[in-house]
Amino acid sequence: MRWIGLWLCLIAPQLAASEWQQLLDPQLSQWDTYLSYRHQPGYNGDVPKDAQGRVIAPIGLNTGNDKFKVFTVQNEQGEPVLRVSGEIYGALTSKQSYRNYHLKLQFRWGELKWPPREQLLKDSGVLYHAVGEHGKEYWRSWMLSQEFQIMQGHNGDYWSQASSAIDIRALLPESIMNAVADPTQPFLPVGAGEKNQGFVLRHADHELPAGQWNTLELICFEGQSLHIVNGEVVMVLRNSRYLDPQGQLQPMVEGKLQLQSEAAEVFFRRIQLKLLAGLPAQYQPLFNQP
């Protein structure tokens, strides 16, 4: 019996690592809030200024949320549900950094939209491998990261944030076309330091009708990642990296998670994560070909 006890002690860390961790509670105890600006139509990436031409400072980290209530938790049928109002750009940012994990969450759209996206599709996103300072990308609202897009009809799209880059199985774009993810295609370099711009469309639209909860899954393992929407793989990615200030490409395999506030009301629930010791076997063939 002694060897059984020793065996259990040896495997206990692996068993614990594979359990689902619940990341959402009423106090948002595992998250920080960052609020930047109420962006307006015509924004061009410059630091926002007031009518007198003075630079406007962002609202900042862990300040202003109590006043503006951009990120709040409500109880729906006995479980916590995160409401992101979208009124001010920013992000809910995990306090912890993660490497090699399976993230799963559900989302549904609210009714509200705000400038500068009142006439555009509702928009949000999950940012992963987020590192460095807040507000380093175009909208001055998020960290250097990779994006799993959440947008009406575009769940699972990829966006490069700041100087990130990655390789995606995708059809080669032509002329003004965007690259489109396709698991049968070779890997296409995308993002900072690459010929192809930092945006790729998901393989197919698997969003459920308005008002229903959609399940999103993000699997990350040693620079490889999968964007999964309602059980369907919509993007296969590998070789996650970023361009450093010296112009050198560096690996990008670990970082925080961010949930975007991006001018649309959106709700999240059942946000959970488990650490991985390896890429799940059923997905390995997606990465085997050149």
Side-chain angles (χ1 to χ4, degrees), residues 31-36 58-65 91-95 132-134 143 256 258:
W31 303 85
D32 291 315
T33 63
Y34 182 80
L35 299 177
S36 61
I59 295 170
L61 181 65
N62 293 324
T63 182
N65 190 59
L92 195 68
T93 305
S94 67
K95 293 181 178 179
E133 300 175 27
H134 293 266
M143 300 164 75
K256 297 184 177 183
Q258 296 194 290

Side-chain angles (χ1 to χ4, degrees), residues 174-212:
E174 184 173 327
S175 185
I176 62 171
M177 297 166 56
N178 291 117
V180 180
D182 189 314
T184 70
Q185 297 299 307
F187 283 95
L188 183 72
V190 175
E194 304 296 346
K195 176 182 176 181
N196 300 293
Q197 296 298 309
F199 172 67
V200 176
L201 290 161
R202 77 288 178 273
H203 176 56
D205 178 16
H206 292 287
E207 184 174 346
L208 299 177
Q212 296 188 30

Side-chain angles (χ1 to χ4, degrees), residues 15-36:
L15 290 174
S18 68
E19 295 173 355
W20 287 102
Q21 306 170 36
Q22 304 302 319
L23 301 186
L24 182 60
D25 59 59
Q27 293 76 37
L28 292 175
S29 64
Q30 299 181 69
W31 303 85
D32 291 315
T33 63
Y34 182 80
L35 299 177
S36 61

Side-chain angles (χ1 to χ4, degrees), residues 114-132:
W114 310 89
R117 300 195 58 85
E118 290 174 297
Q119 306 305 316
L120 301 174
L121 297 172
K122 294 173 183 175
D123 198 2
S124 182
V126 177
L127 307 182
Y128 58 102
H129 302 333
V131 294

